[in-house]
Amino acid sequence: MNMPDVDGLLLADKAFLALRELLTSGGLRAGQFVSMPDLVKSIGLPIAPIREAVKRAESAALVRVLPKRGVAVMEATPELIRECFHLRTIFDQEGARQLVRDGRAGRLDALRALHQRVLDVARDGITPSLQREAMAVDWGLHVTLAGALGNNSAHEIYSRTRARISIIQHSRPLLPDRIVPAMEEHLTIIDAITAGDEERAAAAVRDHFRQTLRWWGIIG
């Protein structure tokens, strides 16, 4: 029986959260193979909850179980990259429209300031710490757009997609040549929402998607 840990979480839940953190933080890389004993050592929990965690990660399409061998992290193939970013774009477009319709553009003021700060600093030079900050600010907008939908089912799908994109991104981190354009594209989205222009906001989201695929080499 899988008993709760002292913090109230089931060991299987705790193991899954730890495994997901390893995957989305780059502790395990896209395409990497890892054995079950290695996972037990990395996560620090017994084999039974680790197995349960791996099953959950496989159902979320984050890993693939190789019987009697171990676990393979999902690969960042061109098809998967396109699929994941396209799905995010669908949510982002509707989220941008919803923010305009609800008159909630003001909630983007702080986020806009963060983008502008990263952009200004990046133009003077990019450091590893700024790369990490840029990634967090980048996700800040995408999560805000998806959250504007107020739809629990959409949130579940988006969360799974975000985890897969996080694994993909660690196969090629946000590099200096992408930070400035990405921040500029995000500011265009934010400004269109603030102006109350649904169509321009949705078009800016789609342009960001195209530029993202171009940077990944998926389109020319």
Side-chain angles (χ1 to χ4, degrees), residues 26-139:
L28 293 173
R29 299 280 182 160
Q32 181 178 344
F33 172 83
V34 61
S35 69
M36 292 299 291
D38 285 341
L39 282 179
V40 170
K41 184 177 180 180
S42 296
I43 295 175
L45 289 173
I47 186 69
I50 297 295
R51 285 200 183 102
E52 288 300 315
V54 167
K55 288 179 183 177
R56 287 175 61 179
E58 184 174 43
S59 70
L62 302 179
V63 303
R64 184 164 51 91
V65 176
L66 305 177
K68 299 183 180 180
R69 293 177 57 196
V71 178
V73 181
M74 52 164 266
E75 295 186 33
T77 63
E79 294 78 13
L80 182 60
I81 292 170
R82 181 189 291 272
E83 177 184 313
C84 288
F85 282 109
H86 182 219
L87 185 55
R88 185 177 75 173
T89 297
I90 294 171
F91 285 112
D92 285 355
Q93 281 188 102
E94 187 55 32
R97 291 180 183 276
Q98 197 64 49
L99 284 171
V100 173
R101 293 169 191 157
D102 294 347
R104 290 183 287 164
R107 66 187 290 186
L108 297 178
D109 289 348
L111 195 53
R112 191 192 193 289
L114 288 173
H115 277 80
Q116 191 63 58
R117 178 195 172 278
V118 170
L119 179 58
D120 292 342
V121 175
R123 283 170 172 162
D124 290 333
I126 294 171
T127 63
S129 63
L130 183 64
Q131 286 180 275
R132 291 189 294 271
E133 182 181 355
M135 181 68 73
V137 170
D138 185 281
W139 269 114

Side-chain angles (χ1 to χ4, degrees), residues 112-180:
R112 191 192 193 289
L114 288 173
H115 277 80
Q116 191 63 58
R117 178 195 172 278
V118 170
L119 179 58
D120 292 342
V121 175
R123 283 170 172 162
D124 290 333
I126 294 171
T127 63
S129 63
L130 183 64
Q131 286 180 275
R132 291 189 294 271
E133 182 181 355
M135 181 68 73
V137 170
D138 185 281
W139 269 114
L141 176 62
H142 293 293
V143 170
T144 297
L145 294 175
L149 298 176
N151 184 308
N152 289 333
S153 296
H155 174 74
E156 182 179 349
I157 297 170
Y158 195 88
S159 294
R160 291 175 61 167
T161 302
R162 177 180 179 178
R164 298 175 82 188
I165 290 176
S166 293
I167 295 172
I168 289 169
Q169 286 176 325
H170 283 289
S171 70
R172 186 187 181 191
L174 192 59
L175 299 175
D177 65 344
R178 181 57 183 147
I179 290 177
V180 169

